[in-house]
Amino acid sequence: MHTASSEASTPSVTAKSRNLRWRVVDIVVASVIGVATGLLFLFWNNVGYAWFSAADALTPGLGGVAVGIWLIGGVLGGLIIRKPGAALFVELLAAIVSALIGNQWGIETIYSGLAQGLGAELVFALLAYRRFGLLPAMLAGAAAGAAAWTLELFVSGNLAKSAEFLGLYFATVVISGALLAGLLGWLIVRGLAATGALSRFAAGQDVAQRV
Amino acid sequence: MSAGGGVLPAGGDHAASGALDPFAAHRSRRPARFLSALNPIAKLAAPLPVMVLVMFSRGIAVPLAFVVFAAAVLLVGARLPGRAVAALLLGTPVAALVLGVTFGVWIDPSSVTGEPAASVTLVSIGDWSFSLAAYLVGLATALRILAILLLSLIAGVTSTGPEFVRSMVQNLRVPYRLGYTALAALRFVPRFGHELEIIRAAHRVRGTDAGRGPVAAVRRALGYAVPLLASAIRHAERVALAMDARAFGAHPTRTERYRSPWRARDTVFVACFLAASAVIAWLTWGR
């Protein structure tokens, strides 16, 4: 229901004043969302990694179910800012914050952020930065998960692991990306729009027009 | 990494440390070893092709050689605190040996049956056995990861976040509107901590109780996420207004407080690093 209405109203807003150039407020808000997401990662680096390890101990590859939260930056950035590069910028900045403040993976977090942000960005770019409903959000989350899986083939040495592991890990990461990043990110953006904090953005104006 | 402490002062003491010039402290504190005097882009660019090479290498010799090489560059080129030197010299071999087991356990046993070392069984539980060949594959994986980690530390331990941003803007033509805004946003971190305390207090005052246990902890964290983001975005809008009022981003170029030039020594460092890496790769490849 909400998907339909927000998707239907997007073209009317963007057709009126579709400006893909970044305003200063876009840059600052994207940066702040990136930093806030980075702090969320710091929390998830403990809670989520515990979940990841527990699930992975149960069945190797099942740990992917916890990955989604680490992919949420791209979805949030893409859905709120709605400009080319926003998803990549937010996810990358979040990864940099997570690495700078300190986590168990160090500087390699930044490569993960780059890959995951590119995955989400690709979906928004393929939709020509015109669709920002629930389905694009979930697709972006899933694509970020697929990109993370691809990167980990190399940097985490997953290439040497068995095909069953890789298949199971891919499925769980993609599903987790669609739900924990896509669906949750979409819900967060809707909640934020309801507070009125996004009124200077198309994401907030969609909600305002619906009332 | 020590850069983090300088860039992001913890909690409420940022007023004291940033009183005059927040960058002055760690600019004068660093006595020169050659890595500190290089452009951050040089330290990032030189190890990059080597990391790709290591990523696609097989066997133990190539990653092991580059672990030693990167550690040597770090020890010679950077003034590391004693604890970091100890972690580098003792922690790296221990990490390689332990990670070798954890990676080796998940190796598909049928993929290594052809190797002569496959007949040497280290541990066996029931009909599952952990062969030397599997351990060697795991060890190679662990060494590859450590080599990439140490190569990325060459840039990581000797330059700070602001230095990276400055050289990205000045040398790589990253738009300064993006670079410097991201740098400004990093300074919001202590503010977020303060804001989170306020939101927690507000929840407590209203008697919000999600219950106990891990599920409740996740639900509580999600309950903080939306108000925290909303207040962060409102703060960001005020900052954007202030920047717009000061005509930030109005011109295609801007003046710089600190120059981050690409000097001859940066070119020399990249050339020497790549030449040494090529020699090491040529000597060890296929062993």
Side-chain angles (χ1 to χ4, degrees), chain A residues 21-25 27-29 31-33 35-36 39 43 47 60 76 80 89 93 97 100-101 105 107-108 111 154-157 159-162 184 188 191-192 195-198 200-201, chain B residues 1 4 8 48 51 55-56 58 103 106-108 137 141 145 148-149 152 156 177-178 181-182 185-186 188-189 192 217-218 221-222 226 229-230 232-234 236-237 239-241 243-244 248:
Chain A
R21 198 181 140 74
W22 287 57
R23 301 168 293 165
V24 170
V25 66
I27 306 173
V28 179
V29 169
S31 308
V32 166
I33 295 169
V35 172
L39 297 181
F43 166 76
V47 176
L76 286 179
I80 293 175
F89 180 74
L93 188 62
V97 168
L100 272 184
I101 295 181
W105 305 284
I107 210 95
E108 276 178 40
Y111 305 137
F154 302 104
V155 295
S156 304
L159 205 55
K161 294 183 182 171
S162 61
L184 187 65
I188 287 177
L192 279 177
T195 67
L198 297 179
R200 287 186 68 184
F201 294 88
Chain B
M1 94 193 231
L8 308 161
L48 206 58
M51 288 184 204
M55 226 181 254
F56 289 101
R58 285 284 166 271
F103 281 115
W106 299 125
I107 298 289
D108 185 6
V137 174
T141 309
I145 289 171
I148 292 170
L149 179 73
S152 65
R177 299 195 329 151
L178 277 185
T181 311
L186 282 182
F188 291 3
V189 171
F192 282 144
V218 171
L222 289 178
V226 168
L229 269 175
I233 289 174
R234 292 212 169 91
E237 286 186 352
V239 171
L241 205 60
M243 289 165 82
D244 272 333
F248 176 82

Side-chain angles (χ1 to χ4, degrees), chain B residues 110-207:
Chain B
S110 62
S111 68
V112 291
T113 40
E115 312 267 332
S119 54
V120 186
T121 302
L122 297 177
V123 184
S124 65
I125 303 167
D127 56 355
W128 177 85
S129 64
F130 184 42
S131 69
L132 182 61
Y135 180 66
L136 288 179
V137 174
L139 189 63
T141 309
L143 282 170
R144 273 204 299 281
I145 289 171
L146 283 172
I148 292 170
L149 179 73
L150 288 182
L151 286 166
S152 65
L153 279 182
I154 290 175
V157 298
T158 55
S159 33
T160 63
E163 283 169 357
F164 270 123
V165 172
R166 272 198 294 276
S167 51
M168 296 264 273
V169 168
Q170 295 180 29
N171 306 118
L172 288 188
R173 307 266 172 243
V174 169
Y176 78 86
R177 299 195 329 151
L178 277 185
Y180 288 126
T181 311
L183 199 52
L186 282 182
R187 306 258 162 177
F188 291 3
V189 171
R191 211 199 116 79
F192 282 144
H194 177 64
E195 203 70 41
L196 184 61
E197 282 311 307
I198 292 177
I199 292 167
R200 272 192 181 142
H203 278 208
R204 230 174 285 138
V205 137
R206 286 163 177 78

Side-chain angles (χ1 to χ4, degrees), chain A:
Chain A
M1 173 187 79
H2 290 295
T3 332
S5 59
S6 84
E7 287 212 304
S9 59
T10 308
S12 66
V13 172
T14 49
K16 245 188 322 192
S17 58
R18 194 171 133 88
N19 181 9
L20 290 181
R21 198 181 140 74
W22 287 57
R23 301 168 293 165
V24 170
V25 66
D26 291 328
I27 306 173
V28 179
V29 169
S31 308
V32 166
I33 295 169
V35 172
T37 311
L39 297 181
L40 172 68
F41 287 179
L42 287 180
F43 166 76
W44 200 249
N45 289 347
N46 300 315
V47 176
Y49 194 62
W51 186 13
F52 180 94
S53 312
D56 226 21
L58 199 66
T59 307
L62 206 59
V65 290
V67 169
I69 292 289
W70 283 305
L71 313 172
I72 206 169
V75 176
L76 286 179
L79 289 186
I80 293 175
I81 309 293
R82 301 189 171 185
K83 304 274 161 101
L88 174 61
F89 180 74
V90 168
E91 181 74 40
L92 181 60
L93 188 62
I96 290 174
V97 168
S98 176
L100 272 184
I101 295 181
N103 61 18
Q104 53 269 58
W105 305 284
I107 210 95
E108 276 178 40
T109 318
I110 297 175
Y111 305 137
S112 289
L114 198 60
Q116 295 158 4
L118 277 174
E121 185 70 44
L122 190 67
V123 169
F124 290 118
L126 285 177
L127 297 169
Y129 302 100
R130 284 176 190 280
R131 293 267 178 272
F132 299 99
L134 178 57
L135 193 63
M138 290 178 74
L139 280 177
W149 178 85
T150 311
L151 181 79
E152 285 176 25
L153 279 183
F154 302 104
V155 295
S156 304
N158 284 356
L159 205 55
K161 294 183 182 171
S162 61
E164 291 87 355
F165 171 86
L166 289 176
L168 185 59
Y169 188 50
F170 182 80
T172 52
V173 162
V174 165
I175 291 169
S176 173
L179 294 180
L180 284 183
L183 178 62
L184 187 65
W186 183 78
L187 287 173
I188 287 177
V189 171
R190 214 182 51 162
L192 279 177
T195 67
L198 297 179
S199 52
R200 287 186 68 184
F201 294 88
Q205 285 157 12
D206 277 359
V207 173
Q209 282 173 355
R210 201 164 63 210
V211 175

